[in-house]
Amino acid sequence: LTCVTPPSPAAWPAALYWAGSARKLPGAFALTGDTVTAASNGPASFAFYPSELLLSLSPSTAPLRYMGGQRGPSDTDRAPVVTIFGNSFVSGGIYKCMFKDPVIGDQRCVADATYVDAVTLTCTMPQMRRGKALEVHVSSNGQQYSSISLAFSVYQVRKIDPVCSPYGSGSVVTVYGDFLVNSQSSESDSIYCRFGRVANDGTTT
């Protein structure tokens, strides 16, 4: 048996009944989004929860993770983990983060999110094809996403000039790319260039 929940004006616990009767549905029910499937004997209960309120995320920008894996020594080793702060995160939900292109709405990447507590989620930034400005939405049931979004940008380095210099010269290197600065982020004042690559043991090569 599967059924779809009707609109609810508020958050509240509900009991399930057969349509057209006053008999409570037998059995425990497995929740997948808004679809409830009979699983085993036991009390039938269901809860409507309040919509998620998103307040902030950190970091608000991250380097591009190419689809298909790394493309050279300049690519990042580890996937960025984004922490989302808000409220109305309920324990036991099926959490997802959607990274959505606000210009081309059907271009979106979805990643599993981890429930930390009632005000904190974490999710790993998915791989993408290019740098872009994005909106981050959250789902507590794997189906419907929050109407509120948070700004996030993925930056991409395209070239540097010059590509080499004499040892000890202190040359100025200009970096060209996409979305290198997120103007909406307080982290924009903390931008650094690293020469070399940090290996898994923390050393720079």
Side-chain angles (χ1 to χ4, degrees):
L1 171 68
T2 63
C3 58
V4 178
T5 60
S8 173
W12 60 292
L16 300 180
Y17 296 84
W18 290 108
S21 75
R23 186 162 60 90
K24 184 181 291 187
L25 288 171
F29 287 77
L31 170 63
T32 304
D34 277 353
T35 301
V36 183
T37 306
S40 61
N41 291 330
S45 62
F46 185 84
F48 292 95
Y49 54 81
S51 299
E52 306 86 356
L53 175 62
L54 307 185
L55 299 177
S56 64
L57 54 74
S58 179
S60 61
T61 185
L64 176 67
R65 295 180 62 215
Y66 284 105
M67 298 184 69
Q70 296 180 352
R71 296 189 181 182
S74 63
D75 294 340
T76 183
D77 280 327
R78 293 176 293 274
V81 175
V82 179
T83 302
I84 298 175
F85 303 98
N87 60 33
S88 300
F89 300 148
V90 294
S91 178
I94 304 173
Y95 284 99
K96 304 281 185 181
C97 290
M98 178 173 65
F99 294 78
K100 178 181 177 181
D101 188 327
V103 178
I104 308 175
D106 60 348
Q107 291 192 4
R108 62 194 70 182
C109 297
V110 175
D112 291 335
T114 300
Y115 173 87
V116 178
D117 54 40
V119 295
T120 313
L121 302 174
T122 61
C123 59
T124 300
M125 191 193 83
Q127 294 177 323
M128 301 179 187
R129 297 188 183 278
R130 63 183 183 276
K132 59 177 64 178
L134 298 166
E135 295 176 345
V136 177
H137 299 258
V138 167
S139 173
S140 296
N141 64 1
Q143 292 188 15
Q144 286 76 35
Y145 285 85
S146 59
S147 57
I148 297 174
S149 65
L150 299 172
F152 185 82
S153 64
V154 178
Y155 64 84
Q156 177 179 8
V157 174
R158 295 195 176 273
K159 70 174 184 177
I160 60 173
D161 183 44
V163 296
C164 62
S165 67
Y167 175 78
S169 65
S171 300
V172 175
V173 177
T174 302
V175 180
Y176 300 89
D178 302 322
F179 302 99
L180 298 180
V181 176
N182 183 352
S183 60
Q184 301 182 43
S185 171
S186 60
E187 301 164 354
S188 298
D189 295 332
S190 303
I191 300 175
Y192 303 90
C193 291
R194 185 187 70 214
F195 291 80
R197 184 177 184 182
V198 177
N200 290 330
D201 61 2
T203 61
T204 302
T205 58

